[in-house]
Amino acid sequence: MNNEDLVAELLRWNYVKSERVKEAFLAVDRKNFIPEKYRDKAYYDDPLPIGYNQTISAPSMVATMLELLEIEEKDKILEIGTGSGYNACLLAALGERVITIERIPQLRDFAKKNMEKCEYREKVLVLLGDGSEGYEAEAPYDKIIVTCGAPDIPDSLIKQLKDGGRLVIPVGGTFFQELYVVEKEGEKIKKRVWGDVAFVPMIGKHGHRWA
Ligand code: SAH
């Protein structure tokens, strides 16, 4: 199997729906973001360990979130939970600028190294720290994506969204969550639940307190 086979499967099962998301998946090879030990599984639709009790999400989950975000070319995007850097590169393929935050220094380094092979790396700023309250310095964002499970939707993230912006975030416990799509329309905040998901917990000031 290769990355094109993975994309073909994502299309076949309708996880990838749009031409733009398809092109992004074709442009970013998942193998470059997988620890050597698991490289033979890079093109399976499974989450994989990346060390430090963290995982790279299953490609179908990544595709679902990217489709829900409806990223446009000029979008400035905030990601919380850099992990392997895979999703950050996909975001960079889809938008104009990406700010991604990771709390584990070794994973920040892992992501940066993986991203050396990504043609969109110059659009990505990788930061180390607690992203549970977003990143005010670069706000506002057109899109915000959280790739770890939060106990609830942080007000700070809604504040950091542009009018017309969109936030995709898993909300719930430390094992299972519901995936929320939040839209900001002036003073109005529209929320809907996409479905059940399982992410590693968001640890931090506005996150869970333990790993
Ligand atoms: N998007 C990643 C997968 C992320 S796994 C990828 O494409 O590979 C979730 C990541 O969120 C983990 O690396 C974890 O360390 C990180 N994380 C958890 N809480 C965080 C916080 N408060 N701020 C930033 N990163 C956090």
Side-chain angles (χ1 to χ4, degrees):
M1 266 183 101
N2 59 30
N3 199 58
E4 282 177 24
D5 298 324
L6 168 63
V7 180
E9 286 298 298
L10 293 172
L11 281 164
R12 185 161 93 93
W13 296 103
N14 209 31
Y15 293 113
V16 169
K17 301 170 198 291
S18 64
E19 190 61 29
R20 276 176 43 77
V21 171
K22 175 186 149 191
E23 290 303 324
F25 270 98
L26 285 173
V28 182
D29 192 331
R30 189 169 187 255
K31 187 173 85 246
N32 295 335
F33 299 85
I34 305 290
E36 237 169 85
K37 201 169 143 190
Y38 302 107
R39 289 255 163 102
D40 57 332
K41 298 185 173 68
Y43 305 119
Y44 294 168
D45 189 19
D46 280 320
L48 287 169
I50 53 174
Y52 313 94
N53 285 327
Q54 309 302 321
T55 52
I56 176 173
S57 305
S60 55
M61 189 72 253
V62 178
T64 297
M65 291 173 96
L66 293 178
E67 292 287 4
L68 288 171
L69 276 173
E70 296 184 12
I71 295 166
E72 290 169 25
E73 257 168 79
K74 292 279 166 214
D75 280 357
K76 183 175 188 179
I77 308 158
L78 174 68
E79 179 191 38
I80 297 156
T82 315
S84 68
Y86 179 53
N87 191 54
C89 272
L90 290 164
L91 293 169
L94 288 160
E96 188 168 86
R97 182 159 161 74
V98 177
I99 288 94
T100 181
I101 312 177
E102 172 56 52
R103 64 179 280 271
I104 300 178
Q106 293 91 332
L107 287 178
R108 184 271 317 262
D109 297 342
F110 179 61
K112 279 195 156 180
K113 194 178 140 282
N114 296 339
M115 279 170 26
E116 282 169 15
K117 292 201 188 100
C118 170
E119 63 180 291
Y120 307 103
R121 66 185 170 279
E122 261 139 49
K123 295 182 177 181
V124 186
L125 174 64
V126 186
L127 298 173
L128 178 67
D130 175 11
S132 67
E133 295 195 301
Y135 188 66
E136 184 63 46
E138 292 267 357
Y141 304 97
D142 297 284
K143 306 286 153 67
I144 301 179
I145 176 168
V146 180
T147 64
C148 40
D152 51 35
I153 302 172
D155 285 340
S156 46
L157 292 190
I158 292 179
K159 281 208 194 85
Q160 288 170 29
L161 265 187
K162 276 188 198 164
D163 191 9
R166 189 177 280 221
L167 158 69
V168 172
I169 180 169
V171 179
T174 53
F175 290 101
F176 301 105
Q177 306 88 23
E178 289 181 308
L179 188 65
Y180 274 76
V181 181
V182 182
E183 284 168 278
K184 185 169 178 175
E185 287 169 8
E187 294 296 293
K188 261 191 21 211
I189 306 297
K190 273 189 3 199
K191 293 179 198 171
R192 70 185 161 98
V193 173
W194 174 83
D196 294 333
V197 293
F199 280 82
V200 295
M202 174 195 269
I203 308 291
K205 194 168 167 217
H206 199 99
H208 295 281
R209 296 295 150 137
W210 47 277

